[in-house]
Amino acid sequence: MLVNMRDLLSAAKSGGWAVGSFSVANMEMVLGVLKAARELSAPAIIQIAEVRLKQSPLEIIGPLMVAAAKAAKTPVAVHFDHGKTEEKIDEALELGFTSVMFDGSHLSLSENIAGTQKIVSAARKYGAAVEAEIGAVGGSEDGSEDIAVNCTKPQEAQLFANETGIDALAVAIGNAHGNYKETPKLRFDILERCSKLVQVPLVLHGGTGISDCDFKKCAETGIKKINIATATFDSVEHNVAARYGRNEITNYYDLHAAEIEGAYLNAKRHMLIFGCDNKA
């Protein structure tokens, strides 16, 4: 069933677990994530970032995501990730996305607050939730930029959340998009301070490559939404390659099944780590 991200994060905050938010690029990936959610009786979030729309146009992938969430057997929110432009954020809202993210992390604090307030006002007309980001998560969603990590300042996070009225806040604690070149060292001291000062649920971007132990610690320390993108794409690619290597793909529908399985295996593994199984 299609639900608001706000409700999922509220439940996670009360229960001490986190919701997985999985990036998707096609129907097979959507089906794989929802298969894992159904099997584990877990809530889920499916998302697409604005930078990925050149491969998966929003007017095509968006209605598919919303329809799939409506037909799902467990609660599923549909999220527009790392929205950069009002045009595409508005389009996502019109298509029925139940949450959107405005990424103003590259702006000054005052500009980020002003831009976020504008998106919050627009989203409220649709009843949609809004996520924003303060600090700079390393890398970029498509690997095209090498953005340095700029850890979130807890006092600024508190001011930002209070001024904007957002529903979720992505924080930078040493995390980065894409595959890590070395084991990430997360700043749990910053996360703990943000969690104490900020009332809304916190979000972790750049989940690929973080250890199971650190994931669990994040979920216990205020992180209620964990984004998984690169790991999903990698799992699909690796599963398809492995099946070709075993001569198990002889036609399109074998390929179709291999893509679904790759997304399913990745989503299931992370849902179990995040503790959201049997929470639907």
Side-chain angles (χ1 to χ4, degrees):
M1 69 195 85
L2 178 65
V3 299
N4 195 293
M5 184 181 77
R6 189 185 302 116
D7 299 329
L8 295 186
L9 300 191
S10 177
K13 191 172 184 179
S14 300
W17 42 276
V19 183
S21 192
F22 300 94
S23 291
V24 295
N26 59 20
M27 180 181 71
E28 288 78 8
M29 298 173 86
V30 171
L31 292 174
V33 172
L34 298 189
K35 178 183 176 182
R38 181 174 67 252
E39 184 176 304
L40 296 177
S41 189
I45 301 167
I46 51 176
Q47 64 180 26
I48 188 164
E50 182 165 341
V51 73
R52 292 295 186 184
L53 298 182
K54 57 183 177 289
Q55 291 93 3
S56 305
L58 187 58
E59 66 271 18
I60 297 172
I61 192 73
L64 187 157
M65 293 166 69
V66 172
K70 288 179 178 178
K73 303 301 182 184
T74 63
V76 177
V78 179
H79 179 67
F80 189 62
D81 194 38
H82 286 284
K84 301 285 189 179
T85 63
E86 287 183 53
E87 176 191 2
K88 287 300 177 183
I89 291 173
D90 287 343
E91 186 178 343
L93 291 168
E94 282 286 338
L95 289 171
F97 280 53
T98 56
S99 64
V100 294
M101 178 192 181
F102 172 66
D103 184 356
S105 59
H106 58 291
L107 304 172
S108 69
L109 180 60
S110 60
E111 290 173 325
N112 195 358
I113 288 173
T116 302
Q117 287 173 332
K118 195 170 184 180
I119 298 304
V120 168
S121 178
R124 290 294 179 261
K125 299 173 186 175
Y126 297 85
V130 176
E131 175 187 333
E133 182 177 319
I134 185 168
V137 175
S140 63
E141 301 77 63
D142 63 349
S144 63
E145 297 180 82
D146 186 18
I147 300 170
V149 175
N150 178 19
C151 287
T152 301
K153 296 177 176 62
Q155 296 287 351
E156 289 187 355
Q158 181 184 36
L159 172 67
F160 185 90
N162 291 342
E163 289 289 320
T164 57
I166 52 172
D167 302 285
L169 179 64
V171 292
I173 56 170
N175 44 316
H177 296 106
N179 288 305
Y180 291 94
K181 297 176 182 177
E182 56 187 31
T183 303
K185 297 178 181 178
L186 300 184
R187 291 288 305 273
F188 284 103
D189 57 326
I190 292 176
L191 176 57
E192 288 172 3
R193 289 170 60 202
C194 286
S195 183
K196 289 177 181 176
L197 293 173
V198 179
Q199 298 304 307
V200 300
L202 303 179
V203 180
L204 184 73
H205 287 233
T208 297
I210 291 175
S211 70
D212 295 3
C213 181
D214 280 357
F215 271 139
K216 291 175 182 177
K217 189 172 181 180
C218 283
E220 294 167 355
T221 319
I223 296 291
K224 296 300 147 190
K225 173 177 178 275
I226 301 177
N227 285 18
I228 301 294
T230 302
T232 304
F233 304 137
D234 287 351
S235 183
V236 170
E237 180 188 358
H238 294 163
N239 195 59
V240 168
R243 285 198 167 210
Y244 269 119
R246 297 193 298 268
N247 295 316
E248 294 174 357
I249 296 179
T250 60
N251 56 55
Y252 166 75
Y253 290 102
D254 291 340
L255 172 61
H256 168 83
E259 289 189 35
I260 292 173
E261 183 181 52
Y264 157 78
L265 291 171
N266 176 72
K268 181 178 179 180
R269 184 176 81 82
H270 284 94
M271 287 172 179
L272 289 170
I273 295 169
F274 302 161
C276 57
D277 51 311
N278 297 311
K279 300 298 192 303

